[in-house]
Protein backbone atom coordinates (compact mmCIF):
# COMPACT_ATOMS: atom_id res chain seq x y z
CA UNK A 1 0.00 0.00 0.00
CA UNK A 2 1.21 3.49 -0.80
CA UNK A 3 1.97 5.87 2.05
CA UNK A 4 0.69 9.37 2.80
CA UNK A 5 3.06 12.30 3.13
CA UNK A 6 1.77 15.41 4.95
CA UNK A 7 2.41 18.84 3.44
CA UNK A 8 3.03 21.44 6.15
CA UNK A 9 5.62 23.49 4.23
CA UNK A 10 6.87 23.96 0.68
CA UNK A 11 9.83 21.72 1.57
CA UNK A 12 7.43 18.78 2.03
CA UNK A 13 6.29 18.93 -1.62
CA UNK A 14 7.85 16.24 -3.83
CA UNK A 15 10.47 17.64 -6.21
CA UNK A 16 8.59 16.36 -9.28
CA UNK A 17 5.70 18.70 -8.36
CA UNK A 18 7.82 21.80 -7.71
CA UNK A 19 7.05 24.63 -10.10
CA UNK A 20 3.84 22.94 -11.29
CA UNK A 21 0.13 23.47 -10.75
CA UNK A 22 0.28 20.63 -8.18
CA UNK A 23 2.61 22.72 -6.02
CA UNK A 24 0.23 25.67 -6.37
CA UNK A 25 -2.74 23.51 -5.37
CA UNK A 26 -0.89 22.39 -2.23
CA UNK A 27 0.20 25.96 -1.46
CA UNK A 28 -3.34 27.32 -1.83
CA UNK A 29 -5.10 24.58 0.08
CA UNK A 30 -2.69 23.43 2.79
CA UNK A 31 -0.39 26.41 3.20
CA UNK A 32 -3.03 29.16 2.80
CA UNK A 33 -1.05 30.98 0.09
CA UNK A 34 -2.74 34.11 -1.25
CA UNK A 35 -5.07 33.26 -4.13
CA UNK A 36 -3.78 34.43 -7.50
CA UNK A 37 -5.87 35.43 -10.52
CA UNK A 38 -6.24 33.01 -13.42
CA UNK A 39 -7.83 33.48 -16.82
CA UNK A 40 -7.88 29.77 -17.67
CA UNK A 41 -7.27 26.39 -16.05
CA UNK A 42 -4.26 24.20 -16.79
CA UNK A 43 -5.29 21.47 -14.35
CA UNK A 44 -8.14 19.03 -14.04
CA UNK A 45 -8.96 17.77 -10.56
CA UNK A 46 -10.87 14.52 -10.20
CA UNK A 47 -12.25 14.01 -6.74
CA UNK A 48 -15.08 12.40 -4.81
CA UNK A 49 -18.52 13.98 -4.70
CA UNK A 50 -18.49 13.62 -0.89
CA UNK A 51 -19.98 16.75 0.68
CA UNK A 52 -17.38 16.79 3.48
CA UNK A 53 -14.64 17.90 1.07
CA UNK A 54 -13.95 21.41 -0.14
CA UNK A 55 -10.81 22.82 -1.72
CA UNK A 56 -9.39 26.31 -1.26
CA UNK A 57 -8.61 27.40 -4.82
CA UNK A 58 -8.68 30.56 -6.90
CA UNK A 59 -11.35 30.99 -9.56
CA UNK A 60 -10.40 29.59 -12.98
CA UNK A 61 -7.53 27.56 -11.48
CA UNK A 62 -8.84 24.07 -12.32
CA UNK A 63 -11.58 22.09 -13.96
CA UNK A 64 -13.13 19.85 -11.32
CA UNK A 65 -14.91 16.54 -11.91
CA UNK A 66 -16.60 15.13 -8.84
CA UNK A 67 -17.84 11.57 -8.83
CA UNK A 68 -18.28 8.79 -6.27
CA UNK A 69 -14.88 7.70 -4.99
CA UNK A 70 -13.08 9.97 -7.44
CA UNK A 71 -13.67 7.18 -9.95
CA UNK A 72 -12.97 8.59 -13.42
CA UNK A 73 -14.17 5.47 -15.27
CA UNK A 74 -16.75 6.44 -17.87
CA UNK A 75 -15.64 10.09 -17.71
CA UNK A 76 -12.80 9.81 -20.21
CA UNK A 77 -14.60 11.93 -22.83
CA UNK A 78 -14.98 14.79 -20.35
CA UNK A 79 -11.31 14.50 -19.40
CA UNK A 80 -10.35 14.40 -23.08
CA UNK A 81 -12.39 17.53 -23.72
CA UNK A 82 -10.64 19.37 -20.88
CA UNK A 83 -7.27 18.32 -22.32
CA UNK A 84 -7.99 18.85 -26.03
CA UNK A 85 -10.18 21.96 -25.89
CA UNK A 86 -9.59 23.34 -22.40
CA UNK A 87 -5.80 23.12 -22.51
CA UNK A 88 -5.34 20.99 -19.39
CA UNK A 89 -1.68 20.09 -18.82
CA UNK A 90 -1.97 18.31 -15.45
CA UNK A 91 -4.44 15.93 -13.86
CA UNK A 92 -4.76 15.53 -10.09
CA UNK A 93 -6.81 12.75 -8.53
CA UNK A 94 -7.83 13.25 -4.92
CA UNK A 95 -8.98 10.28 -2.88
CA UNK A 96 -10.12 10.57 0.74
CA UNK A 97 -10.67 8.52 3.85
CA UNK A 98 -14.11 7.29 5.00
CA UNK A 99 -15.28 7.03 1.39
CA UNK A 100 -18.78 5.68 0.82
CA UNK A 101 -17.69 3.85 -2.34
CA UNK A 102 -15.66 1.41 -0.24
CA UNK A 103 -17.34 -1.93 0.53
CA UNK A 104 -20.52 -1.18 -1.38
CA UNK A 105 -21.82 -4.72 -0.85
CA UNK A 106 -22.29 -3.92 2.85
CA UNK A 107 -24.50 -0.98 1.88
CA UNK A 108 -26.83 -2.87 -0.48
CA UNK A 109 -29.85 -3.02 1.85
CA UNK A 110 -29.55 0.67 2.77
CA UNK A 111 -29.15 1.59 -0.91
CA UNK A 112 -32.19 -0.42 -2.00
CA UNK A 113 -34.38 0.83 0.85
CA UNK A 114 -33.29 4.41 0.22
CA UNK A 115 -34.37 4.20 -3.42
CA UNK A 116 -37.68 2.69 -2.37
CA UNK A 117 -38.36 5.31 0.32
CA UNK A 118 -36.91 8.44 -1.29
CA UNK A 119 -37.19 7.84 -5.04
CA UNK A 120 -40.34 5.73 -5.27
CA UNK A 121 -38.59 2.75 -6.85
CA UNK A 122 -39.85 -0.82 -6.66
CA UNK A 123 -37.64 -3.19 -4.69
CA UNK A 124 -36.74 -5.33 -7.72
CA UNK A 125 -35.79 -2.25 -9.74
CA UNK A 126 -33.57 -0.91 -6.92
CA UNK A 127 -31.87 -4.28 -6.41
CA UNK A 128 -31.18 -4.67 -10.13
CA UNK A 129 -29.75 -1.16 -10.24
CA UNK A 130 -27.42 -1.93 -7.35
CA UNK A 131 -26.33 -5.29 -8.77
CA UNK A 132 -25.63 -3.73 -12.16
CA UNK A 133 -23.65 -0.70 -11.03
CA UNK A 134 -22.05 -1.45 -7.64
CA UNK A 135 -19.22 -3.52 -9.19
CA UNK A 136 -18.42 -0.67 -11.60
CA UNK A 137 -18.23 1.96 -8.87
CA UNK A 138 -16.72 -0.03 -5.96
CA UNK A 139 -13.26 1.41 -5.36
CA UNK A 140 -11.77 -0.94 -2.76
CA UNK A 141 -9.16 0.68 -0.51
CA UNK A 142 -9.05 4.47 -1.00
CA UNK A 143 -5.31 5.10 -1.37
CA UNK A 144 -4.70 2.06 -3.55
CA UNK A 145 -7.63 2.99 -5.79
CA UNK A 146 -6.39 6.57 -6.20
CA UNK A 147 -2.95 5.31 -7.24
CA UNK A 148 -4.35 2.70 -9.62
CA UNK A 149 -6.70 5.26 -11.19
CA UNK A 150 -3.74 7.62 -11.69
CA UNK A 151 -1.81 4.78 -13.36
CA UNK A 152 -4.79 4.03 -15.62
CA UNK A 153 -5.11 7.66 -16.70
CA UNK A 154 -1.37 7.89 -17.36
CA UNK A 155 -1.79 5.11 -19.94
CA UNK A 156 -4.67 6.94 -21.62
CA UNK A 157 -2.98 10.38 -21.56
CA UNK A 158 0.77 9.62 -21.72
CA UNK A 159 1.81 13.27 -22.18
CA UNK A 160 -0.27 14.51 -19.23
CA UNK A 161 1.24 14.09 -15.74
CA UNK A 162 -1.26 12.58 -13.29
CA UNK A 163 -0.70 13.23 -9.58
CA UNK A 164 -2.51 11.17 -6.93
CA UNK A 165 -3.28 13.09 -3.72
CA UNK A 166 -5.35 12.32 -0.64
CA UNK A 167 -7.75 14.43 1.43
CA UNK A 168 -8.01 13.85 5.17
CA UNK A 169 -11.60 14.30 6.31
CA UNK A 170 -10.61 15.07 9.93
CA UNK A 171 -7.99 17.76 9.25
CA UNK A 172 -9.24 18.87 5.79
CA UNK A 173 -5.68 18.81 4.40
CA UNK A 174 -4.25 17.34 1.22
CA UNK A 175 -1.54 14.70 1.43
CA UNK A 176 0.94 13.53 -1.15
CA UNK A 177 0.81 9.81 -1.93
CA UNK A 178 4.19 8.12 -1.98
CA UNK A 179 3.69 5.65 -4.80
Amino acid sequence: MAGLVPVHSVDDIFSLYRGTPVELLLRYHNLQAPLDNYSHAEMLIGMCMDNRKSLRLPDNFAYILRTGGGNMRQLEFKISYAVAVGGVKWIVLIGHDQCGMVNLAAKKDQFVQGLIDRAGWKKEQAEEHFIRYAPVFEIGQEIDFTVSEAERLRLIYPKIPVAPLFYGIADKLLYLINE
Side-chain angles (χ1 to χ4, degrees):
M1 180 170 87
L4 297 181
V5 177
V7 177
H8 299 298
S9 74
V10 174
D11 294 336
D12 296 329
I13 299 171
F14 294 162
S15 61
L16 75 134
Y17 299 142
R18 299 270 174 92
T20 73
V22 178
E23 177 183 351
L24 292 171
L25 168 64
L26 293 165
R27 284 175 175 257
Y28 293 136
H29 185 79
N30 282 25
L31 306 178
Q32 301 298 304
L35 300 179
D36 296 313
N37 293 316
Y38 292 88
S39 60
H40 68 280
E42 293 186 356
M43 171 188 285
L44 179 135
I45 298 172
M47 60 190 290
C48 189
M49 61 191 234
D50 191 302
N51 63 312
R52 297 172 292 173
K53 294 178 19 228
S54 179
L55 297 175
R56 182 180 178 274
L57 300 173
D59 291 341
N60 302 317
F61 178 74
Y63 294 94
I64 300 176
L65 291 175
R66 293 185 69 137
T67 180
N71 185 340
M72 297 292 113
R73 284 178 254 164
Q74 301 183 4
L75 297 179
E76 290 84 357
F77 186 83
K78 294 174 184 180
I79 296 168
S80 296
Y81 186 89
V83 169
V85 178
V88 161
K89 296 177 182 155
W90 278 83
I91 297 173
V92 170
L93 296 178
I94 303 174
H96 72 95
D97 53 343
Q98 305 171 31
C99 186
M101 293 293 113
V102 172
N103 193 15
L104 285 174
K107 299 172 183 93
K108 180 183 178 192
D109 293 341
Q110 179 185 5
F111 182 96
V112 169
Q113 195 60 51
L115 287 177
I116 293 167
D117 295 344
R118 291 181 199 82
W121 289 30
K122 302 237 182 280
K123 183 177 181 178
E124 299 76 28
Q125 179 187 20
E127 286 177 341
E128 172 57 33
H129 188 63
F130 184 88
I131 290 165
R132 180 174 181 187
Y133 290 106
V136 175
F137 295 105
E138 166 69 45
I139 67 164
Q141 199 280 340
E142 297 101 331
I143 298 171
D144 292 342
F145 177 79
T146 304
V147 170
S148 68
E149 190 67 348
E151 291 169 351
R152 186 181 75 80
L153 291 177
R154 288 174 185 143
L155 293 174
I156 297 170
Y157 306 99
K159 291 176 85 175
I160 305 291
V162 181
L165 301 179
F166 200 76
Y167 185 98
I169 294 294
D171 63 11
K172 301 185 182 313
L173 294 176
L174 293 171
Y175 291 80
L176 296 163
I177 298 178
N178 191 0
E179 298 178 71

